[in-house]
Amino acid sequence: RKEVEQDPGPFNVPEGATVAFNCTYSNSASQSFFWYRQDCRKEPKLLMSVYSSGNEDGRFTAQLNRASQYISLLIRDSKLSDSATYLCVVNEDTGRRALTFGSGTRLQVQP
Amino acid sequence: AAGVIQSPRHLIKEKRETATLKCYPIPRHDTVYWYQQGPGQDPQFLISFYEKMQSDKGSIPDRFSAQQFSDYHSELNMSSLELGDSALYFCASSITSGPRSYEQYFGPGTRLTVT
């Protein structure tokens, strides 16, 4: 079982739609949580850190539920440029800063 | 804003050859990480350095070694290359203090092809 699990998708949505991605992690000691986006054959780009209180950045909202070990990302008013793979990423230990990646959820926004 | 720089961007080597990948972190970032991403896979952590000392080790083969220099740039040295080493190699950097201390920023990667 992977340490970070995501639905691989693809999610095919029309422009303007709202789409939500979910992710679960297995290590309850995990300390930091992130969403990255990755375009084909490019580097992962940090989209946002995820905090226990939840956080919002424009059209993007991230939530963390530590009790359920669950992270979510909500994208409102989808744009064509949002088409990418969204990676749920966890830092499992404060003493170890390596990131553990989920396999990603692919989003395709259609005109 | 300055980003992580990696060179070369593409590299083609034959089996059993050696390769050296370079990474220049974001200015004032003190930690460098190396990740390997095989085709269709998610990035896997190899090794990291904090203030020029190895800070953590992941799934890095014994054939690979890395170091961080006094100017904070890092090099990943790969020897006895195998076909299975063909992958994208990403370097990331972060700063250990402040509110963004766990956020890692990735370079554009080096695409290594072993033939």
Side-chain angles (χ1 to χ4, degrees):
Chain A
R1 180 170 174 250
K2 276 184 70 70
E3 291 151 0
V4 180
E5 300 238 27
Q6 294 181 250
D7 180 344
F11 283 56
N12 295 302
V13 303
E15 272 186 289
T18 295
V19 61
F21 304 138
N22 303 316
C23 161
T24 57
Y25 59 95
S26 60
N27 186 345
S28 60
S30 297
Q31 296 293 323
S32 304
F33 309 89
F34 311 92
W35 284 101
Y36 280 76
R37 70 169 277 169
Q38 186 172 29
D39 295 280
C40 188
R41 299 164 77 89
K42 298 277 185 71
E43 74 273 24
K45 291 188 175 175
L46 178 64
L47 187 62
M48 57 200 306
S49 300
V50 187
Y51 306 113
S52 296
S53 55
N55 47 305
E56 185 174 314
D57 183 2
R59 299 182 292 109
F60 299 85
T61 300
Q63 295 278 352
L64 168 64
N65 184 322
R66 284 188 183 271
S68 303
Q69 294 179 208
Y70 171 96
I71 307 161
S72 66
L73 176 68
L74 183 77
I75 304 175
R76 290 180 298 277
D77 189 22
S78 298
K79 312 289 185 194
L80 294 176
S81 58
D82 292 334
S83 298
T85 296
Y86 289 82
L87 300 166
C88 178
V89 184
V90 171
N91 171 241
E92 296 192 304
D93 191 310
T94 51
R96 186 173 191 265
R97 290 169 175 263
L99 298 178
T100 300
F101 287 78
S103 298
T105 299
R106 196 153 62 87
L107 171 66
Q108 184 66 48
V109 180
Q110 294 161 339
Chain B
V4 176
I5 297 171
Q6 290 188 247
S7 67
R9 295 291 307 277
H10 302 273
L11 192 57
I12 300 174
K13 291 285 186 178
E14 294 187 356
K15 282 194 303 184
R16 292 180 289 277
E17 286 192 317
T18 61
T20 297
L21 278 52
K22 296 186 178 182
C23 168
Y24 296 83
I26 292 171
R28 290 186 295 281
H29 280 197
D30 49 25
T31 307
V32 167
Y33 313 79
W34 286 97
Y35 292 85
Q36 177 192 59
Q37 186 173 27
Q41 298 180 359
D42 42 271
Q44 296 293 316
F45 171 70
L46 294 178
I47 194 166
S48 63
F49 292 86
Y50 166 67
E51 287 290 345
K52 292 152 278 185
M53 299 286 290
Q54 181 182 307
S55 57
D56 197 7
K57 200 169 181 180
S59 52
I60 185 169
D62 291 340
R63 300 176 289 107
F64 294 7
S65 65
Q67 56 183 323
Q68 187 179 30
F69 295 86
S70 57
D71 64 351
Y72 290 93
H73 95 271
S74 178
E75 294 184 3
L76 178 66
N77 300 294
M78 311 160 72
S79 62
S80 303
L81 287 169
E82 301 173 358
L83 295 178
D85 296 329
S86 296
L88 262 172
Y89 290 83
F90 290 112
C91 173
S93 72
S94 71
I95 191 165
T96 53
S97 59
R100 297 187 178 276
S101 61
Y102 286 97
E103 294 180 353
Q104 296 183 22
Y105 296 87
F106 284 73
T110 295
R111 182 169 298 279
L112 172 67
T113 302
V114 181
T115 62

